[in-house]
Amino acid sequence: MKTEAFKTIRLALPIIIGELAQMALHIIDTAMVGSINYKQLAAVSLVFNAMNIPFVIGIGMTISVSQMVSMAHGQNDDRQVSHYLYNGFCICALTALLISFTLFFGKDLLFHLGQDPEVATLAVPFMQLMGISIIPMLLFMTLKQFTDGLEQTRTAMLFSLAAMPINIFINWLLIYGNWGFPRLELLGAAWGTLITRTLITLALGAVILTHHSYKKYIQLRKEEWYLRRSTIQELLHIGVPSSLQVGMEAGAFAVSGIIIGTIGAVAQASHQIALSCASATFMVSMGLAQAGSIRVSNAFGRSDWPLIATIGKSTLLTALAYGVCCALGFVLLKDHLPHFFNSNAEVVSLASMLLLFAAIFQISDATQAIGAGLLRGIKDVRTPTLLIAVAYWVVGIPMGYWFAFHGGMGASGMWLGFISGLTFASIFLIARFLRMSKRNAPVLVS
């Protein structure tokens, strides 16, 4: 158990660093725009909430690439690895175009969500540019899933880290109008994101096409780079439920953010601060979940069920310990973290309160992500999708709405709903994985 835990952590660390770097881009935008005024901070929150559902659905589709590549890699089948790369890239590119088109032309939806009119007006052009940036981002994630599936997780990590100083510099130029550039404020952040995502996607693509680590897969392009219906069906079998899983989870948070926005701009800005902090810690859980899923998928390709069970249990224990540490950190820093985003006294006070609720759900948030990832690694996606749907949309959202508006708790009530949904998901997903790994493990007869 200890050995497998360290192997998973070693694989997960570059993924975690890369995920945190990508999340940092959102936090950087939020903090740099928030320093102007809280209305623009609320506009960032509105757009991120509105586009988060389609965005993570696209990311869910890219997950199928790492799962199938990892399984083929576990079977030492280079041809299949190359074939999954091409078919997965085509599927994800089409998905990116559809999502970008929907967000760009669906901008007027922001005026029909009961938000502050000034906030919605500020948000429309920001959403259009952010919608375009979905294309390079999902293409980057597709290539990242390919390298991660081969357990070469440092490659994409380096580009994710490089994106941070690039994004900060472009933001500094365009948000504040330094060095003679126009002062674009909110739009400057959107342009910074679009330019940064495009640069790192082109760079990662160039490495995969030219580096010796991937040469044997690229050399097979003449034989394996063609579309095949059965391959597309395999990828969609993983990709569609994975998209629904992460989409329903992110959707629950996004809808909750929109509901909180109907309370007022202060509540929405406070919610965005607390959610940004919670999302940052969740990236570590997601990194562990992806690493555990990749390792389980690799073992699944060889039908090594004892190893699958050991990897799963060790990863769950690691996530549990991490969740406890995050909870303690949020409690200790709840009065300090909000000041990094905004100086408005009302916003800081409410955000501090919401961070207490975020601390409570850190354990269930971490373990439910691991449970879903492990089940994905053994190609069990349909029932977990149903469990996640119930957790967020039957338990979490309704309970949060009741606590917020009928229980008189306001924004805190929605966060209490988060806790309920995440706990439900954690218990049932973990129980399912433990049951399936035990059921499929071979019986040794002496």
Side-chain angles (χ1 to χ4, degrees), residues 123-178:
V124 166
F126 181 71
M127 180 166 168
Q128 285 188 300
L129 280 176
M130 292 299 292
I132 296 173
S133 74
I134 291 287
I135 297 174
M137 187 60 204
L138 288 185
L139 294 181
F140 176 82
M141 291 300 299
T142 304
L143 297 175
K144 175 185 179 299
Q145 295 290 356
F146 167 68
T147 58
D148 288 352
L150 296 174
E151 299 192 15
Q152 297 182 19
T153 54
R154 294 183 181 181
T155 306
M157 176 199 73
L158 294 175
F159 290 107
S160 296
L161 288 174
M164 292 176 61
I166 294 172
N167 190 62
I168 291 172
F169 179 65
I170 298 174
N171 277 0
W172 181 76
L173 293 177
L174 298 179
I175 293 177
Y176 307 120
N178 289 306

Side-chain angles (χ1 to χ4, degrees), residues 70 94 157 204 345 361 387:
S70 177
L94 179 60
M157 176 199 73
L204 180 57
F361 76 49
L387 290 172

Side-chain angles (χ1 to χ4, degrees), residues 259-320:
I259 292 172
I260 289 172
T262 64
I263 299 173
V266 169
Q268 188 178 57
S270 303
H271 168 73
Q272 180 61 29
I273 290 171
L275 187 59
S276 293
C277 295
S279 297
T281 58
F282 183 64
M283 288 302 100
V284 178
S285 302
M286 281 296 292
L288 282 171
Q290 289 179 41
S293 183
I294 289 168
R295 296 199 64 225
V296 163
S297 184
N298 190 286
F300 183 71
R302 301 189 302 274
S303 298
D304 190 344
W305 283 98
L307 180 58
I308 288 171
T310 304
I311 292 171
K313 292 174 184 177
S314 61
T315 307
L316 285 168
L317 289 174
T318 303
L320 182 63

Side-chain angles (χ1 to χ4, degrees), residues 19-297:
E19 294 286 355
L20 287 173
Q22 290 296 329
M23 177 57 61
L25 296 181
H26 289 292
I27 296 177
I28 289 166
D29 286 346
T30 301
M32 295 182 79
V33 169
S35 67
I36 299 172
N37 63 60
Y38 77 91
K39 290 277 188 176
Q40 297 213 26
L41 176 61
V44 172
S45 173
L46 175 59
V47 171
F48 283 170
N49 284 326
M51 69 184 295
N52 204 33
I53 299 175
F55 179 49
V56 297
I57 285 175
I59 291 179
M61 191 63 72
T62 69
I63 290 174
S64 63
V65 177
S66 64
Q67 297 300 138
M68 300 310 296
V69 165
S70 177
M71 202 173 302
H73 185 54
Q75 297 168 343
N76 296 313
D77 192 338
D78 295 344
R79 290 186 175 276
Q80 279 293 86
V81 170
S82 181
H83 189 63
Y84 284 130
L85 166 62
Y86 179 76
N87 281 260
F89 189 86
C90 291
I91 292 172
C92 294
L94 179 60
T95 302
L97 289 170
L98 290 173
I99 292 173
S100 179
F101 181 87
T102 301
L103 291 173
F104 188 89
F105 291 101
K107 62 185 184 301
D108 290 339
L109 174 67
L110 298 176
F111 292 108
H112 303 283
L113 298 175
Q115 307 297 299
D116 183 309
E118 185 180 346
V119 170
T121 301
L122 287 168
V124 166
F126 181 71
M127 180 166 168
Q128 285 188 300
L129 280 176
M130 292 299 292
I132 296 173
S133 74
I134 291 287
I135 297 174
M137 187 60 204
L138 288 185
L139 294 181
F140 176 82
M141 291 300 299
T142 304
L143 297 175
K144 175 185 179 299
Q145 295 290 356
F146 167 68
T147 58
D148 288 352
L150 296 174
E151 299 192 15
Q152 297 182 19
T153 54
R154 294 183 181 181
T155 306
M157 176 199 73
L158 294 175
F159 290 107
S160 296
L161 288 174
M164 292 176 61
I166 294 172
N167 190 62
I168 291 172
F169 179 65
I170 298 174
N171 277 0
W172 181 76
L173 293 177
L174 298 179
I175 293 177
Y176 307 120
N178 289 306
W179 285 7
F181 282 84
R183 182 182 172 91
L184 300 178
E185 298 186 345
L186 191 59
L187 277 182
W191 277 111
T193 299
L194 175 58
I195 294 169
T196 302
R197 287 176 172 178
T198 301
L199 289 175
I200 63 172
T201 300
L202 293 174
L204 180 57
V207 168
I208 291 174
L209 290 173
T210 60
H211 197 272
H212 65 85
S213 298
Y214 311 103
K215 185 177 181 180
K216 60 182 177 180
Y217 309 115
I218 304 303
Q219 285 180 333
L220 293 167
R221 61 185 181 277
K222 291 183 179 180
E223 295 88 2
E224 298 300 333
W225 285 18
Y226 62 92
L227 295 175
R228 186 167 62 194
R229 177 177 295 183
S230 60
T231 303
I232 293 173
Q233 288 174 341
E234 282 185 281
L235 288 162
L236 292 178
H237 173 75
I238 300 293
V240 172
S242 297
S243 295
L244 291 175
Q245 288 177 17
V246 295
M248 285 186 292
E249 180 179 352
F253 283 93
V255 169
S256 298
I258 292 170
I259 292 172
I260 289 172
T262 64
I263 299 173
V266 169
Q268 188 178 57
S270 303
H271 168 73
Q272 180 61 29
I273 290 171
L275 187 59
S276 293
C277 295
S279 297
T281 58
F282 183 64
M283 288 302 100
V284 178
S285 302
M286 281 296 292
L288 282 171
Q290 289 179 41
S293 183
I294 289 168
R295 296 199 64 225
V296 163
S297 184

